Amino acid sequence: MDPKEKRVYKIVLTGGPCGGKTTGQARLSTFFENLGWSGGIKFSDLTEEEAFKFQENLLRTMLQIENTFFELADSSTRNCLIICDRGAMDASAFISKEKWEKMMSSNGWNSVELRDNRYNQIIHMVTAANGAEDFYTTEDHACRSEGMELARELDYKAAAAWVGHPYFDVVDNSTEFEKKIRRMIASICQKMCIDTGDRLLTNARKRKFLVKAPLPDDSVFPPFQDFEVVHNYLINSHPSMQARLRKRGQKGHWSYTHTIRKPRLHGQIVEVKTQLTHRDYINLLTQKDDAHFTIYKKRRCFLDNNQYFQLDIYKDPCHPRCVGLILLETYSALEDGRLEECLPKFLQLACEVTGDPAYSMYNLSLREEWSSSSKFCHALKVPEMAEATNGITKLISGTTLANNGSNHSLQNHLSSKVTLNGKCK
């Protein structure tokens, strides 16, 4: 295939309740955007005939909505990833085989066209009720009310509906949730022959580096995508939870995400991400927490040495601690020495700040000075690390938090700096 040829790739993100579809859809959209790609009914209350007509009309509507997006993608000059939150065959999971065949016959449909030819790939996200029971909840989804047993039953039916598709991947709960989401994205990239390096390996973790200004000229960077990003923290009644909004866009076109960061459960940080409409975003913005500045960034996304990077450049207006702040982030499974070799050589990296609360966006956005603030979050404190002879793992301890050349002292806090080549440049 010509690498310059525009691509349209259709997937179904399906699965059982609390399987990760909502968060997965938000993460999947963000991932491919960074690559430059462009009231209800209680079903159990319906009679058999009502259920049949509902599913038939719903499927007709679903197909028409999908066709609208498929046609728009075909006419676009950009690469397009179309994410279907469930697909045509999911309707067959909720009615009898006889009713399904009747529906197919009366509408001139067939399984090969609806299942095999319509979508490029099917991803089934297994319900948390099967293998991650401690994480199964109905609290974060207004339309979810299924108990554990019903969730497992619906999950099995949803998976069975897609058996036979040539590219059908089941993403189970054999790993923690963050790895589950990365496995989902990786399975799609693999089918699409997109090289993501080691970013999506299950042992990859987020690494963050402080970058010295000034940045080199744009021509020095590999091909990149720039986004305007706006973050707002929201008022939250639970002291150990964080809620925030993100507005992210290019050329006047925006996407909106709501994130709730929950306390650790069995060693995992739980984040619930939900894509929003512009209207929902504006409504939630009224709950903005005035104890935090709005964070404005330019986010530059690029690939270098088969490693995917996000460069966050903080912009005014902001707290003085953020003036001139530039942070580089990547997900990688590489050990420190190998990772250092893959870091962008055209950037001046001062030191690694992974896990340092001084570089947590939550803390950076606080209006109060850290020394007098009761809101400073210590949860991301860097654990002590063994000193290495070289690379980027040497430990330096102190009580000063360096911020791009400016020092901000913080009482009762020990900051551990992980440096490049044994020193903070």
Side-chain angles (χ1 to χ4, degrees), residues 213-336:
L215 291 175
D217 189 79
D218 288 354
S219 61
V220 177
F221 282 81
F224 60 84
Q225 292 286 327
D226 279 349
F227 298 86
E228 295 299 318
V229 181
V230 181
H231 295 277
N232 279 288
Y233 281 90
L234 304 180
I235 296 172
N236 190 3
S237 59
H238 199 301
S240 59
M241 292 172 58
Q242 298 174 4
R244 66 178 184 266
L245 294 176
R246 187 191 71 184
K247 175 183 175 182
R248 178 180 182 273
Q250 288 179 313
K251 301 177 181 178
H253 300 283
W254 301 92
S255 63
Y256 308 93
T257 305
H258 176 260
T259 300
I260 297 179
R261 188 178 177 91
K262 296 184 175 183
R264 285 183 175 270
L265 180 61
H266 299 312
Q268 295 188 50
I269 294 177
V270 179
E271 283 194 346
V272 179
K273 294 180 181 287
T274 306
Q275 287 184 298
L276 302 174
T277 64
H278 176 259
R279 181 178 180 179
D280 290 337
Y281 173 79
I282 295 299
N283 288 338
L284 284 170
L285 202 55
T286 61
Q287 302 174 31
K288 176 184 173 183
D289 188 348
D290 290 332
H292 292 262
F293 280 100
T294 297
I295 292 284
Y296 298 93
K297 303 175 183 175
K298 180 169 81 171
R299 174 166 292 173
R300 174 162 295 183
C301 306
F302 60 91
L303 285 166
D304 189 48
N305 297 317
N306 287 324
Q307 196 76 27
Y308 180 75
F309 295 96
Q310 288 187 170
L311 187 70
D312 279 352
I313 305 162
Y314 282 70
K315 300 169 60 178
D316 289 331
C318 62
H319 190 282
R321 69 173 72 96
C322 296
V323 173
L325 181 62
I326 307 172
L327 295 173
L328 180 72
E329 295 183 1
T330 187
Y331 280 86
S332 179
L334 294 176
E335 297 300 325
D336 294 325

Side-chain angles (χ1 to χ4, degrees), residues 49-308:
E49 185 59 26
E50 286 174 336
F52 175 83
K53 294 305 297 182
F54 174 78
Q55 287 294 352
E56 184 177 44
N57 289 323
L58 184 63
L59 183 51
R60 287 173 178 169
T61 302
M62 178 188 295
L63 294 176
Q64 184 56 53
I65 292 173
E66 288 182 355
N67 288 340
T68 300
F69 283 93
F70 293 173
E71 290 176 9
L72 286 172
D74 288 337
S75 64
S76 174
T77 58
R78 298 180 60 190
N79 293 329
C80 297
L81 180 76
I82 300 174
I83 307 171
C84 302
D85 190 346
R86 299 192 181 274
M89 296 300 295
D90 282 285
S92 68
F94 300 96
I95 58 176
S96 67
K97 182 179 180 181
E98 293 73 24
K99 292 288 186 182
W100 175 249
E101 291 178 350
K102 175 184 175 182
M103 185 187 300
M104 300 274 279
S105 176
S106 62
N107 287 277
W109 299 330
N110 66 80
S111 293
V112 172
E113 288 300 321
L114 286 186
R115 183 196 61 215
D116 301 343
N117 294 339
R118 188 171 180 84
Y119 312 98
N120 298 104
Q121 186 177 359
I122 310 300
I123 306 293
H124 179 84
M125 307 290 284
V126 174
T127 175
N130 183 4
E133 289 80 359
D134 289 342
F135 292 88
Y136 182 78
T137 178
T138 60
E139 294 177 355
D140 301 309
H141 205 298
C143 298
R144 183 186 301 146
S145 59
E146 301 89 349
M148 199 85 72
E149 288 301 322
L150 180 57
R152 295 190 189 104
E153 179 184 344
L154 295 176
D155 182 82
Y156 176 80
K157 289 181 177 179
W162 292 97
V163 171
H165 191 281
Y167 300 107
F168 179 32
D169 292 275
V170 177
V171 185
D172 62 18
N173 297 299
S174 59
T175 61
E176 63 184 30
F177 186 74
E178 174 61 23
K179 292 180 180 179
K180 179 180 182 180
I181 295 298
R182 291 208 297 268
R183 285 159 52 211
M184 179 270 292
I185 299 175
S187 68
I188 295 170
C189 291
Q190 182 182 27
K191 292 292 192 304
M192 298 174 70
C193 298
I194 292 177
D195 184 7
T196 61
D198 72 326
R199 172 173 167 77
L200 298 174
L201 293 179
T202 56
N203 61 337
R205 65 187 182 96
K206 185 177 181 179
R207 307 288 288 269
K208 186 184 295 188
F209 301 88
L210 181 64
V211 179
K212 282 187 175 183
L215 291 175
D217 189 79
D218 288 354
S219 61
V220 177
F221 282 81
F224 60 84
Q225 292 286 327
D226 279 349
F227 298 86
E228 295 299 318
V229 181
V230 181
H231 295 277
N232 279 288
Y233 281 90
L234 304 180
I235 296 172
N236 190 3
S237 59
H238 199 301
S240 59
M241 292 172 58
Q242 298 174 4
R244 66 178 184 266
L245 294 176
R246 187 191 71 184
K247 175 183 175 182
R248 178 180 182 273
Q250 288 179 313
K251 301 177 181 178
H253 300 283
W254 301 92
S255 63
Y256 308 93
T257 305
H258 176 260
T259 300
I260 297 179
R261 188 178 177 91
K262 296 184 175 183
R264 285 183 175 270
L265 180 61
H266 299 312
Q268 295 188 50
I269 294 177
V270 179
E271 283 194 346
V272 179
K273 294 180 181 287
T274 306
Q275 287 184 298
L276 302 174
T277 64
H278 176 259
R279 181 178 180 179
D280 290 337
Y281 173 79
I282 295 299
N283 288 338
L284 284 170
L285 202 55
T286 61
Q287 302 174 31
K288 176 184 173 183
D289 188 348
D290 290 332
H292 292 262
F293 280 100
T294 297
I295 292 284
Y296 298 93
K297 303 175 183 175
K298 180 169 81 171
R299 174 166 292 173
R300 174 162 295 183
C301 306
F302 60 91
L303 285 166
D304 189 48
N305 297 317
N306 287 324
Q307 196 76 27
Y308 180 75

